[in-house]
Amino acid sequence: MLSVFTISLGFGIVLPSLPFMIERLLGSAGSAAQVSHATGLLTGFYTLSLFLFASPWGRLSDHFGRRSILLIGLLGFSATMMTFAFIEGLRAIYAERFVSGMFAAAVTPVALATIGDLAATEAVRARRLTFVSLAGIGGFLLGPMLGVFVTRGASILFPDLGGMGPLGIPLVGIALLALVAALAMALTVPKTTVGDFGQQNKVVISRPAKRLVLRLLALSFIVSVGIGVFEVGLALRGKQELGLSQYQIATMFTECSLVMLVVQSVVFSPWIRPETTRWLIAPAFAILAAGIFLVPHAPTFLLMLTVIGAVAASAGVLSPILTFWISSKAGKAQGAQLGKQTAAASLGAAFGSAAGGLLFDVSWLPDASFAIAAALSLVAVLLSLHLPKLLVDHIARQKTEPPSASSPRSRHSAVPG
């Protein structure tokens, strides 16, 4: 939870300040279109790196243990955030965002895989995966407002910071927190969490199960497209169209995180069975589609907050539900399967972030990025209609079918149970 919190806090601190940072670096020669394009591309670079490296890091953690990969990710993330504090060139920021995403990709899926390894029941798995998700939301909840307050305070108290601008203060703090998380990881996480990593632990997945997982991965991709468009479009629209301050933009992101925190706490509470969450997928996508479509049509700050609540509630429900169902089918290959899920989500976020910036001010197609994300969410509604029945049928097959001849249980266990 601390590791995922740290990664999310770092992302949350940077995101609302990116348009202002880019505007400062470009100077008077920079146009509003250049600022929006660079904001989308920088956010997209980070999430694209997550997509490229999440699955390889997950597979490595299956073979070499969770702790070593988590330590590499946290130490590398600390180094990149410390470097970011002193960067003054736009090209260097592109490189930093990519490398930072590479190390962040070693943390979130492997932390989730560690939970999957140690869960004794599906209810425990659902609650603990939610705890990690809530830690990530908590980091993003604190990040935007903390970044704005610390940056403003640093600019007043330390007007001359040399090569490190006011944003450098919170970035250095994130780098130090990542070192603390790495130390805690080294002291508390067992060196090996998944047993033997040999051929006998490979999971044989049936063709129906593969198709089911692919559908869940596609849905994870669509959720993240919507979130990526929403996050970048929110920052840009707040600054360029509504004329909001950094505090107001940070307030919108804070509200988003608070709503996600509440809905996840309710949906994955001990009073709701994890199996029933499958019924929420299609309705949540319908709400997500409507909310994203309405974002560019909210004329005031108050109405914008209302639409943000609807988008945040639906996205906050969907992400942990999809993670839970993928983890429940991963067997001993938690790292590989959750790495794929993180990769799919990151690719969607990269696509959504880039589209949110590049298509923000296209005159011939107003609100193009929001329309694309809303249309994809409607496609997800159609993909989700029969999903509750498919998930139940798959659970029933798992309970009634005998172990296959190639499964670890049939080869190595002669005693029932």
Side-chain angles (χ1 to χ4, degrees):
M1 289 175 67
L2 176 61
S3 300
V4 173
F5 173 82
T6 301
I7 299 298
S8 183
L9 184 66
F11 181 74
I13 280 179
V14 171
L15 185 59
S17 299
L18 272 180
F20 300 90
M21 179 190 304
I22 295 165
E23 190 176 54
R24 178 177 63 83
L25 291 175
L26 292 176
S28 58
S31 64
Q34 287 177 309
V35 172
S36 63
H37 291 174
T39 300
L41 288 174
L42 280 170
T43 309
F45 259 55
Y46 182 89
T47 49
L48 176 63
S49 185
L50 289 173
F51 161 70
L52 293 174
F53 295 101
S55 186
W57 282 127
R59 288 196 299 270
L60 287 173
S61 75
D62 285 337
H63 290 285
F64 300 106
R66 313 297 186 206
R67 187 175 69 174
S68 58
I69 303 302
L70 286 167
L71 288 175
I72 291 172
L74 288 167
L75 293 174
F77 187 77
S78 174
T80 59
M81 296 302 285
M82 186 68 74
T83 303
F84 196 9
F86 297 92
I87 288 178
E88 284 294 322
L90 191 56
R91 290 183 180 180
I93 292 178
Y94 277 103
E96 186 281 334
R97 290 285 79 196
F98 186 82
V99 177
S100 183
M102 178 184 72
F103 286 112
V107 177
T108 300
V110 180
L112 294 171
T114 305
I115 297 298
D117 293 336
L118 303 176
T121 66
E122 292 300 289
V124 170
R125 184 200 306 274
R127 285 198 297 272
R128 291 182 178 175
L129 289 174
T130 303
F131 292 158
V132 176
S133 178
L134 292 176
I137 293 175
F140 191 75
L141 169 65
L142 292 177
M145 195 63 73
L146 183 64
V148 171
F149 279 123
V150 173
T151 300
R152 290 289 180 90
S155 63
I156 295 173
L157 297 175
F158 309 102
D160 185 12
L161 291 173
M164 182 174 63
L167 183 60
I169 298 295
L171 295 178
V172 170
I174 293 297
L176 296 176
L177 181 60
L179 292 179
V180 172
L183 177 61
M185 190 68 63
L187 294 176
T188 60
V189 175
K191 184 176 181 180
T192 299
T193 57
V194 291
D196 298 327
F197 301 105
Q199 185 76 16
Q200 71 272 17
N201 279 328
K202 288 188 176 180
V203 179
V204 178
I205 303 178
S206 65
R207 186 170 298 177
K210 287 181 179 179
R211 288 198 295 266
L212 188 57
V213 170
L214 283 176
R215 183 177 296 201
L216 293 170
L217 292 175
L219 294 176
S220 295
F221 170 82
I222 293 174
V223 171
S224 296
V225 170
I227 294 174
V229 167
F230 173 72
E231 288 176 344
V232 174
L234 203 59
L236 292 173
R237 186 164 190 269
K239 181 181 184 297
Q240 297 184 11
E241 294 184 1
L242 299 180
L244 303 180
S245 67
Q246 276 184 292
Y247 289 107
Q248 289 175 306
I249 294 174
T251 298
M252 292 192 296
F253 283 108
T254 300
E255 184 217 355
C256 182
S257 300
L258 276 173
V259 172
M260 287 185 174
L261 196 72
V262 171
V263 296
Q264 288 190 16
S265 299
V266 172
V267 171
F268 286 96
S269 65
W271 299 279
I272 297 179
R273 295 177 59 190
E275 293 81 2
T276 62
T277 58
R278 68 191 190 277
W279 293 105
L280 300 176
I281 298 175
F285 270 114
I287 296 172
L288 182 66
I292 290 175
F293 179 79
L294 292 173
V295 166
H297 302 290
T300 65
F301 181 58
L302 182 60
L303 287 176
M304 180 70 83
L305 291 178
T306 303
V307 174
I308 288 170
V311 174
S314 56
V317 165
L318 286 167
S319 295
I321 289 176
L322 296 173
T323 300
F324 162 73
W325 284 105
I326 291 172
S327 174
S328 68
K329 315 223 174 300
K332 293 182 181 294
Q334 293 287 323
Q337 296 302 320
L338 289 169
K340 290 178 183 178
Q341 194 265 345
T342 301
S346 301
L347 179 63
F351 178 84
S353 298
L358 295 174
L359 301 178
F360 181 76
D361 52 3
V362 175
S363 58
W364 54 271
L365 185 59
D367 308 319
S369 59
F370 295 103
I372 291 172
L376 283 175
S377 298
L378 289 177
V379 172
V381 173
L382 298 177
L383 290 175
S384 306
L385 290 178
H386 299 292
L387 199 55
K389 183 178 185 301
L390 293 174
L391 290 170
V392 168
D393 290 345
H394 186 261
I395 293 173
R397 284 196 301 269
Q398 285 181 319
K399 291 180 178 179
T400 58
E401 290 180 355
S404 64
S406 57
S407 70
R409 184 180 179 90
S410 63
R411 286 199 307 264
H412 300 289
S413 176
V415 179

